[in-house]
Amino acid sequence: MRLFVSLAVLLLVAVSATAQDKVPGAEERIAKLEERVRALEEEAAELRREIEELKRAGAKVGLPEGALWAIEMNSDLKGSGAIADVDGDGRLEVVFGSYFGEQHVFCVRAQSGEVMWKHKSDAGPLDASIAIDDLDNDGNYEIFSADSSSGHFYDLAPDGKLNWKFKLPNSTDSPVAIADLDGDRTKEFVVGSMWQRDGMGAVSCYSAKKQKLLWERKYKGCIQSEPVLTDLNGDKTLDVIVTTWRGDHGIHAISGKDGKDLWTFTTAGDEKSMGMYHGVALSADEKTVFMATCQGDVYALDTAGNQLWTKHYDDYLFSPITVADVNGDRKEELVFGGRNLYCLAAEDGAELWKQALDGGLDRGVAVTDVDGDGDMDVIYNDQCAVVARDGRHGVESFRFDATYKGKQWEEISSAPLVADFDGDGVNEYFLVVGVGTSTDEFRGNYGRAMAIKLKGKGPAWTTFRSNLRRTGNPAHGPSGK
């Protein structure tokens, strides 16, 4: 503040000096004062740059207790980031997208929040969740993202430079799934896209070699869901399961070999029903497929698409299902939600516990030891809070208030991510809180990316749906293998 007052005083003196006629040495004095003003302006500009760098680096000034670092942004995040040692230096990075008003992919050091690089999208927000993988098996990670507006699919190098991009059939929010579908040591990636003029959305399978389209299927509605990859028919080729949003209410199983339909299961609903925004989840043995619809219906299917059981809730079940043994009984449970958080027995759908939410569950839950007691907790975002509940009874075991500016519509819309960010043996949690709308030229948008400290030691949850086959089950490994 003193610096800017000094600038004003010096300018006033300079003006006064020019008003004096024939003052001895006036011109020389004016020149010296102007030089001082220029020097002070340069110093002020340097201070402003330093302040901005400190903010971007996650300076700890003003952070709430329990936060490791924070970064100010111009919007929030609607999808999920991913965590990996992107550049091979032995330290983790967090890579995440951003909504209208920011529209960049960020890569930040997990330990400090230092922004390593940003990559700007072509047209719109980056809602489709990030994937990090060595797609071409050359020993180097690549980062995959998609522009939700233009439908451009990006492959970024560890330094943020563009390796390649191409256009999907339409705009997309679908998190890409990656695996070697047929065991030929060449990976494929599968991604959905929104409906086109004919009302049909596409799911497309591409080879890593020259991004060649191998097959494509279209269904009524948008394919917003993450494609889930699993061998449904025992032919040693991973098949694909997708769902439709505002379409035919279908859970569609597709052959990974050639894109032919294997089966379709039609969920309850009518023309006004929203269907399913997210994808299915799998049991650990991959013999059961689970799904929750926005109409409030929960289904368990076998790998041939036959219903095993169903359950209905008067709730808007937007979030994906997470499958894991959350209560230590050596059996799997399903955790999902809408206005409430539910925990069901996977074998028959029996309700084990239920807890009301302050808001709604958007991006699902992660399963890890949050409070350090050795038992599993489920951790999720509820409006502006990060909350964990003990897997046995659903009792709250952790809460962090991430409220930033407290304005209307502020919330955490990002998916849960967990890892040991700073190498101290204890996990941290990544979130983005803020406001992101597509109205008012984004002037009301803002965000804060933040890492907060947990008390447990694991396991980690480093990508959307736990793995790159997007199965929603940590038993399938962090790489989906």
Side-chain angles (χ1 to χ4, degrees):
M1 181 62 73
R2 291 179 180 176
L3 180 61
F4 299 108
V5 171
S6 299
L7 281 171
V9 172
L10 285 171
L11 288 170
L12 181 62
V13 171
V15 171
S16 299
T18 58
Q20 305 298 319
D21 293 329
K22 299 179 181 180
V23 176
E27 292 182 0
E28 182 180 352
R29 187 180 178 194
I30 289 171
K32 289 181 178 179
L33 289 170
E34 288 176 341
E35 181 61 31
R36 287 183 64 189
V37 167
R38 281 193 293 272
L40 288 168
E41 287 174 341
E42 290 176 1
E43 184 181 353
E46 181 61 32
L47 286 172
R48 283 191 290 268
R49 282 193 294 271
E50 185 177 348
I51 289 169
E52 185 61 27
E53 287 175 3
L54 286 170
K55 288 178 179 178
R56 289 295 188 186
K60 296 184 179 181
V61 177
L63 287 185
E65 183 179 355
L68 182 64
W69 50 258
I71 303 168
E72 292 187 13
M73 298 169 57
N74 296 316
S75 75
D76 68 353
L77 164 62
K78 306 297 186 187
S80 176
I83 302 171
D85 178 7
V86 172
D87 56 4
D89 67 351
R91 296 178 294 179
L92 294 176
E93 285 78 39
V94 185
V95 185
F96 57 97
S98 50
Y99 196 63
F100 281 121
E102 185 73 67
Q103 298 166 224
H104 282 84
V105 175
F106 284 73
C107 179
V108 307
R109 297 194 187 280
Q111 182 174 13
S112 65
E114 175 190 354
V115 178
M116 297 172 61
W117 51 260
K118 296 194 297 182
H119 180 87
K120 193 176 190 305
S121 71
D122 293 319
L126 295 150
D127 291 348
S129 300
I130 297 288
I132 302 174
D133 192 43
D134 179 7
L135 184 63
D136 52 12
N137 297 314
D138 67 353
N140 297 312
Y141 272 132
E142 298 155 74
I143 296 158
F144 303 94
S145 179
D147 185 316
S148 292
S149 295
S150 70
H152 282 138
F153 188 79
Y154 306 108
D155 178 330
L156 304 178
D159 61 2
K161 293 180 181 177
L162 183 67
N163 288 328
W164 49 257
K165 72 176 180 179
F166 69 91
K167 181 77 168 60
L168 295 171
N170 202 4
S171 51
T172 182
D173 282 352
S174 173
V176 64
I178 302 174
D180 178 1
L181 296 187
D182 52 11
D184 65 354
R185 298 184 180 180
T186 298
K187 290 185 179 179
E188 288 78 30
F189 58 95
V190 187
V191 61
S193 51
M194 299 180 193
W195 54 30
Q196 300 177 59
R197 291 183 179 179
D198 60 0
M200 306 288 280
V203 54
S204 310
C205 177
Y206 300 86
S207 169
K209 291 182 178 180
K210 299 181 180 179
Q211 303 81 57
K212 179 183 177 182
L213 179 65
L214 301 178
W215 55 258
E216 188 170 273
R217 295 292 302 176
K218 292 186 176 181
Y219 301 100
K220 182 182 178 182
C222 298
I223 311 297
Q224 306 283 62
S225 72
E226 61 282 8
V228 175
L229 310 181
T230 183
D231 184 359
L232 290 170
N233 52 14
D235 64 356
K236 297 184 180 180
T237 298
L238 293 177
D239 304 304
V240 181
I241 307 175
V242 295
T243 63
T244 58
W245 170 251
R246 299 175 69 185
D248 62 6
H249 318 299
I251 302 172
H252 299 281
I254 308 162
S255 169
K257 280 185 178 180
D258 50 22
K260 292 182 179 178
D261 284 321
L262 295 178
W263 51 260
T264 291
F265 180 87
T266 303
T267 63
D270 55 30
E271 292 183 356
K272 295 181 180 179
S273 301
M274 301 303 282
M276 295 150 283
Y277 189 91
H278 292 107
V280 304
L282 302 178
S283 59
D285 61 10
E286 303 192 38
K287 293 182 179 180
T288 310
V289 178
F290 303 100
M291 186 65 225
T293 76
C294 292
Q295 289 72 251
D297 296 299
V298 186
Y299 297 93
L301 312 177
D302 66 18
T303 54
N306 301 305
Q307 181 177 302
L308 301 176
W309 57 259
T310 186
K311 192 176 185 73
H312 178 77
Y313 288 97
D314 292 327
D315 202 342
Y316 181 72
L317 302 179
F318 183 85
S319 81
I321 292 175
T322 295
V323 187
D325 178 6
V326 301
N327 60 11
D329 64 354
R330 298 185 180 181
K331 298 178 181 180
E332 289 189 313
E333 288 77 43
L334 314 181
V335 185
F336 58 94
R339 295 183 298 273
N340 299 281
L341 185 69
Y342 304 92
C343 180
L344 309 185
E347 60 184 354
D348 58 8
E351 185 177 298
L352 303 179
W353 52 261
K354 166 184 168 183
Q355 295 289 344
L357 300 175
D358 292 328
L361 191 67
D362 289 341
R363 309 296 170 190
V365 308
V367 178
T368 187
D369 177 11
V370 174
D371 55 6
D373 66 355
D375 295 332
M376 291 297 100
D377 304 280
V378 294
I379 187 167
Y380 57 95
N381 301 315
D382 186 6
Q383 287 192 337
C384 292
V386 178
V387 182
R389 294 189 176 276
D390 175 77
R392 291 182 181 274
H393 307 294
V395 177
E396 185 175 305
S397 57
F398 176 88
R399 178 175 289 267
F400 179 90
D401 184 2
T403 301
Y404 183 24
K405 297 183 179 181
K407 295 187 178 180
Q408 188 180 21
W409 313 121
E410 182 178 294
E411 64 177 346
I412 307 169
S413 294
S414 56
L417 291 176
V418 178
D420 180 4
F421 288 12
D422 54 7
D424 66 352
V426 179
N427 279 338
E428 281 78 31
Y429 182 93
F430 175 76
L431 65 99
V432 179
V433 62
V435 172
T437 70
S438 58
T439 60
D440 196 29
E441 297 180 352
F442 329 131
R443 284 192 293 266
N445 289 0
Y446 62 87
R448 188 183 225 189
M450 188 183 303
I452 62 173
K453 300 175 184 179
L454 306 180
K455 297 179 181 179
K457 296 183 178 181
W461 192 280
T462 59
T463 194
F464 185 59
R465 311 298 286 126
S466 178
N467 54 71
L468 290 181
R469 285 200 286 129
R470 309 301 189 188
T471 66
N473 192 322
H476 301 142
S479 63
K481 296 179 180 179

